[in-house]
Amino acid sequence: MSDALPRRPLRAAAVAAALAALLGGTAAAAPLHGAGREPSSQAWPHRLVDRSPDLVQPKALTVDRSIGVRRAAQEVRLAQQLYTFWNTGQQRYLDAAISPGFRDNTLPPGRPQGPTGPVLASRTFRAAVPDLTCELSEVLVAGDRITARLVFRGHFTGTFDSVHGRGQSVEFNAIDIQHVGVDRIVEDWHIEDNTALLAQLGVNS
């Protein structure tokens, strides 16, 4: 069965609510590591998280109960798989997370459309920052949308745009919105703090 769904416009209100939640708005995220004690693995939404040691773990998680446990767990796991790809560079996690018909709606200049785009972007990042990691700082699941706040870190020991790194630390933020189809992510919107990244790399924008 195909996981492609008819594309719908990204509703401004939904995006605003998602970003407000991630940036300190009215919807409070549930930290996975509470003060003083670990939350029960059976408590909502913590029981939705796949605890496999190879997958990144969200630092905080907010989930819309109305979509049901099965769908919610599916979307949380898709987020974990996608950002494990960004955390490791291993394509098998990307293949598990996104549809073959995946579309990037905020495609940067020079990046190919479809699943090839994230693969080449990851290779470019890792050519500059071989130890690149992706922290899944916060995840918001609502309906068929996953919104994630990310922090990328590493050291510029490689090469980017003919500039050779000197081992300087790199840290920049990103926010993604993923649209989930039947069983995988079918499209996304994303924004990265490229100004901070390029300044840290010493590359003129």
Side-chain angles (χ1 to χ4, degrees):
M1 180 167 55
S2 170
D3 62 1
L5 295 181
R7 292 189 57 204
R8 296 179 296 174
L10 183 63
R11 293 182 292 274
V15 176
L19 294 179
L22 288 179
L23 297 175
T26 56
L32 294 185
H33 300 285
R37 65 178 182 177
E38 284 292 302
S40 168
S41 61
Q42 298 304 309
W44 184 277
H46 312 295
R47 62 188 169 118
L48 304 173
V49 176
D50 187 330
R51 302 292 176 177
S52 300
D54 60 318
L55 295 178
V56 294
Q57 303 293 307
K59 299 291 185 182
L61 179 63
T62 301
V63 180
D64 173 12
R65 284 179 178 267
S66 71
I67 64 176
V69 173
R70 184 173 180 178
R71 178 68 173 188
Q74 176 194 41
E75 294 191 25
V76 171
R77 190 166 194 274
L78 287 171
Q80 290 184 264
Q81 290 171 322
L82 177 61
Y83 298 113
T84 297
F85 161 70
W86 287 108
N87 188 58
T88 65
Q90 296 183 33
Q91 188 175 338
R92 62 191 176 97
Y93 294 108
L94 179 71
D95 294 341
I98 69 173
S99 163
F102 169 81
R103 178 177 179 80
D104 183 345
N105 291 299
T106 44
L107 192 69
R111 184 181 299 181
Q113 186 56 269
T116 303
V119 173
L120 294 182
S122 176
R123 289 176 185 169
T124 300
F125 277 136
R126 291 185 179 278
V129 185
D131 65 344
L132 184 71
T133 62
C134 175
E135 176 185 286
L136 188 49
S137 298
E138 197 159 351
V139 177
L140 172 63
V141 174
D144 59 2
R145 296 291 195 273
I146 302 166
T147 305
R149 179 168 60 85
L150 315 166
V151 181
F152 290 89
R153 298 184 178 92
H155 297 85
F156 184 24
T157 57
T159 303
F160 181 82
D161 196 24
S162 301
V163 175
H164 299 282
R166 306 181 308 278
Q168 60 266 48
S169 295
V170 170
E171 180 173 325
F172 65 99
N173 299 283
I175 291 179
D176 288 358
I177 300 174
Q178 310 290 341
H179 175 200
V180 181
V182 173
D183 60 1
R184 281 181 284 182
I185 294 165
V186 295
E187 59 182 340
D188 79 348
W189 298 257
H190 56 91
I191 185 168
E192 297 81 27
D193 188 354
N194 289 320
T195 300
L197 172 61
L198 294 175
Q200 292 167 20
L201 295 178
V203 177
N204 295 327
S205 59

